[in-house]
């Protein structure tokens, strides 16, 4: 892809949600751009949840992806 995705964002006051905003190619309408946001929820030191959203023409954010990240612990019990 030739698009450079430049993000800006903020961490909520509880430091549990990181919201990242960007603009990039509209995947449903070639030649147009769309606003996107990724929200990373810090559930624990071992788990994060990423959700990705696109801003639709009706002004509503629509979630199109979720990824769950979990730290894999080694057999010795270290991180």
């Amino acid at each position: 892809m030739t698009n450079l995705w430049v993000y800006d964002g903020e961490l909520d006051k509880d430091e549990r949600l990181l919201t990242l905003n960007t603009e990039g190619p509209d995947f449903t309408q070639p030649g147009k751009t769309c606003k996107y946001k990724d929200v990373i929820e810090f559930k624990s030191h071992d788990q994060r949840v990423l959700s990705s959203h696109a801003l639709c023409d009706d002004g509503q954010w629509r979630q199109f992806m979720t990824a769950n990240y979990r730290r894999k612990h080694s057999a010795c019990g270290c991180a």
Side-chain angles (χ1 to χ4, degrees):
M1 175 180 286
T2 59
N3 185 69
L4 176 62
W5 294 83
V6 178
Y7 288 83
D8 67 10
E10 62 187 21
L11 191 59
D12 75 335
K13 65 180 176 94
D14 295 326
E15 299 183 350
R16 306 283 297 166
L17 292 174
L18 175 63
T19 302
L20 301 170
N21 302 293
T22 192
E23 189 166 335
D26 186 324
F27 299 117
T28 62
Q29 301 178 59
K32 291 190 172 189
T33 61
C34 181
K35 291 186 179 186
Y36 296 93
K37 72 176 177 181
D38 290 334
V39 179
I40 302 169
E41 180 181 2
F42 300 95
K43 293 196 158 278
S44 71
H45 290 293
D46 296 326
Q47 183 183 7
R48 295 179 184 162
V49 177
L50 164 69
S51 58
S52 295
H53 308 79
L55 186 61
C56 295
D57 290 338
D58 64 3
Q60 299 293 314
W61 287 101
R62 300 284 192 266
Q63 183 174 324
F64 63 87
M65 185 195 77
T66 301
N68 289 283
Y69 298 91
R70 295 182 189 270
R71 184 186 317 250
K72 180 179 179 181
H73 293 277
S74 66
C76 69
C78 53

